[in-house]
Structures are given as structure tokens and as C-alpha cells.
Amino acid sequence: MTSHSYSPGLHILLTLEVKSILKLTDSQSFIRKTDEILQHYNLEKVGELTHNFDNESFTIAFCLKESHICVHTWPEYEQLTLDVYLCNYLQDNTEKVKAIAKEYIDYFEAKVIKEFEIYR
């Protein structure tokens, strides 16, 4: 029996503290930033779903051919949660996931409250 070594990918889960309420309430800017990131890292978006709440917080899910990026904002708590997961089907995307997470931390000028790296 042949054994294949395969790691499905890295999934980073973040809780961030964000002082800029505008960035926690401007879903369109987040979408534009994500589209830039997807283009830069050669990732393919296959779907996108956005919901803006009454307090202007938002939740957005980007379904990618490679997996997903999701965000949920809480401006009333100056926080957001973000998860980035890319599968390793054709290549090892570990470093790409880490770089994307860092781009979002920089975009939000955020302090990391919690960070989990799950190797699937």
C-alpha cells in the first residue's frame, strides 16, 4: 500500500483589536482590499457574500477556489474576527496564508488579541 504525505493546508484564526471605527464599518473598503490581496496572491474568488448590520458592522465570506476568507466586525467592541484558509492541493500555501493574515493586520492597524494556526 502506498502512503502519501499530504497536509490539506493552514487555517489562521485571528481576533484583532482595531481602533479605527471606519475600518470596522466600511465593508466596501474591506472588499476592495481583499480583491487586491486575491489578485496579488493569484487566488480565485468563486463567490462573495456580504451582510451589513444596522450598526454598520459587517460580515463577509469570500469563497475561493483554494478555500475561504471570512471576517466579522464589532465596532462597538473595537474588534473583528478573521479567518484565512487555503488548501495545499496543488502547492504548499502555508507562507501565503501567513502573508495574507499579516496584510490584514497591517490594513486594520490592528493589535492581535488571539491567533490560532491550525494545520489541517
Side-chain angles (χ1 to χ4, degrees), residues 22-73:
L22 180 60
K23 288 191 176 177
L24 292 171
T25 57
D26 186 354
S27 61
Q28 290 305 307
S29 288
F30 181 81
I31 290 168
R32 283 191 298 275
K33 179 62 178 176
T34 299
D35 285 339
E36 289 172 13
I37 287 171
L38 297 180
Q39 183 176 7
H40 178 80
Y41 290 98
N42 234 4
L43 300 171
E44 186 176 336
K45 180 169 49 172
V46 295
E48 174 186 321
L49 187 58
T50 302
H51 181 79
N52 292 292
F53 294 92
D54 291 339
N55 69 347
E56 298 183 40
S57 63
F58 57 87
T59 185
I60 304 174
F62 295 90
C63 184
L64 309 177
K65 185 171 108 176
E66 301 80 5
S67 200
H68 69 272
I69 296 172
C70 299
V71 67
H72 309 276
T73 69

Side-chain angles (χ1 to χ4, degrees), residues 13-29:
L13 306 170
L14 296 167
T15 301
L16 303 177
E17 179 181 353
V18 179
K19 295 298 183 182
S20 171
I21 299 304
L22 180 60
K23 288 191 176 177
L24 292 171
T25 57
D26 186 354
S27 61
Q28 290 305 307
S29 288

Side-chain angles (χ1 to χ4, degrees), residues 7-12 37 40-41 43 84-88 91-104 115 117-119:
S7 171
L10 174 60
H11 192 171
I12 292 182
I37 287 171
H40 178 80
Y41 290 98
L43 300 171
V84 179
Y85 177 51
L86 299 179
C87 297
N88 287 341
Q91 65 187 11
D92 183 351
N93 285 313
T94 301
E95 293 307 313
K96 195 180 288 190
V97 172
K98 291 178 181 182
I100 290 169
K102 178 161 179 5
E103 285 211 33
Y104 283 120
E115 179 175 8
E117 291 187 355
I118 302 166
Y119 291 89

